[in-house]
């Protein structure tokens, strides 16, 4: 068995710091590769990431462990240089990871709230406000245009244990009906079980 080199041990024990890297712009093949390869070259580790495209626009957020001595501005410069070399039309933003205070972490249960019907510009704001009034955190939100000027909004939320979910369901259902919309609220475990695609 080979003994690890000093360089390997130094890299493995290197003090790191967490940052958030956001990349947004015109979607093209190779964007994720250019981002990941640049971060790897800078001895950064991608711990988590999420990425999506909206009407040919790319957006991604990376939770990255970087060497503590590496400046955020240098990472931005290296990423921009890599993107320019590939002629990608992208912007980059970096900020230090911010640990939430204990009082900001709310215990609760995950639910999925779906709202659909005729598209209107106040749907997201209306239901997001109801959530905010009940200290319900929206962890993920997706909105889609569907056929015949219809739209679908899917809120993935954490409902505090102190909130009466039946009352919440009634309030949201009544608001949706008043807006000419339909609404469904399910515990995330039930939602996933219903929508799980079985692969043999």
């Amino acid at each position: 068995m080979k003994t690890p080199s000093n360089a390997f041990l130094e890299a493995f024990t290197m003090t790191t710091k967490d940052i958030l890297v956001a990349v947004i712009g015109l979607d093209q093949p190779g964007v994720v590769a250019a981002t990941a390869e640049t971060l790897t070259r800078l001895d950064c580790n991608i711990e988590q990431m999420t990425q999506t495209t909206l009407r040919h626009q790319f957006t991604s957020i990376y939770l990255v462990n970087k060497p503590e001595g590496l400046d955020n501005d240098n990472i931005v410069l290296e990423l921009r240089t890599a993107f320019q070399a590939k002629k990608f039309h992208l912007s980059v933003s970096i900020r230090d990871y911010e640990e939430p205070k204990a009082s900001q972490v709310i215990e609760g249960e995950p639910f999925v709230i779906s709202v659909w019907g005729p598209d209107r510009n106040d749907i997201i704001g209306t239901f997001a406000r109801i959530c905010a009034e009940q200290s319900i955190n929206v962890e993920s939100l997706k909105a889609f245009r569907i056929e015949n000027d219809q739209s679908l909004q899917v809120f993935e939320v954490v409902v505090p244990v102190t909130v009466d979910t039946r009352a919440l369901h009634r309030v949201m259902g009544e608001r949706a009906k008043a807006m000419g919309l339909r609404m469904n609220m399910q515990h995330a475990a039930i939602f996933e079980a219903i929508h799980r695609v079985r692969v043999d």
Side-chain angles (χ1 to χ4, degrees):
M1 182 175 180
K2 292 184 178 180
T3 302
S5 66
N6 290 337
F8 176 82
L9 290 174
E10 288 176 5
F12 187 77
T13 58
M14 185 182 299
T15 303
T16 61
K17 184 176 182 180
D18 293 339
I19 58 172
L20 294 170
V21 179
V23 178
I24 186 171
L26 181 64
D27 187 33
Q28 293 177 259
V31 173
V32 174
T35 304
E37 289 170 354
T38 301
L39 292 172
T40 299
R41 180 167 50 80
L42 295 172
D43 291 324
C44 296
N45 178 57
I46 299 173
E47 183 176 320
Q48 288 181 274
M49 71 91 68
T50 181
Q51 173 265 323
T52 190
T53 55
L54 299 173
R55 202 190 299 173
H56 307 297
Q57 304 304 301
F58 173 94
T59 180
S60 62
I61 300 176
Y62 301 78
L63 176 59
V64 175
N65 315 126
K66 69 161 188 175
E68 195 165 279
L70 181 61
D71 189 77
N72 289 352
D73 290 340
N74 289 340
I75 300 175
V76 171
L77 179 61
E78 291 290 339
L79 285 170
R80 286 177 177 169
T81 300
F83 295 155
Q84 289 171 2
K86 297 286 187 178
K87 297 184 179 180
F88 292 155
H89 297 228
L90 301 165
S91 58
V92 184
S93 177
I94 295 181
R95 61 175 292 163
D96 292 334
Y97 174 78
E98 185 177 358
E99 191 72 40
K101 297 177 181 178
S103 60
Q104 295 174 313
V105 179
I106 300 174
E107 292 187 9
E109 291 289 324
F111 280 80
V112 178
I113 300 168
S114 304
V115 181
W116 68 97
D119 189 37
R120 38 189 297 169
N121 66 359
D122 59 348
I123 299 174
I124 293 176
T126 297
F127 288 90
R129 185 175 66 253
I130 294 174
C131 289
E133 290 170 349
Q134 298 293 325
S135 297
I136 296 170
N137 189 46
V138 179
E139 294 198 333
S140 177
L141 169 60
K142 294 182 179 180
F144 309 89
R145 282 286 187 92
I146 49 183
E147 71 276 0
N148 301 323
D149 295 322
Q150 304 283 300
S151 68
L152 166 65
Q153 290 74 32
V154 181
F155 298 78
E156 295 182 25
V157 304
V158 175
V159 179
V161 293
T162 55
V163 172
D164 184 337
T165 55
R166 290 185 179 180
L168 175 65
H169 187 281
R170 184 174 62 254
V171 168
M172 287 194 165
E174 290 174 352
R175 184 62 57 86
K177 184 176 181 180
M179 297 170 68
L181 305 169
R182 299 179 67 185
M183 189 280 305
N184 184 47
M185 175 177 162
Q186 290 178 312
H187 192 282
I190 298 174
F191 181 89
E192 290 173 6
I194 293 174
H195 295 85
R196 185 179 294 120
V197 176
R198 181 176 179 179
V199 179
D200 295 324

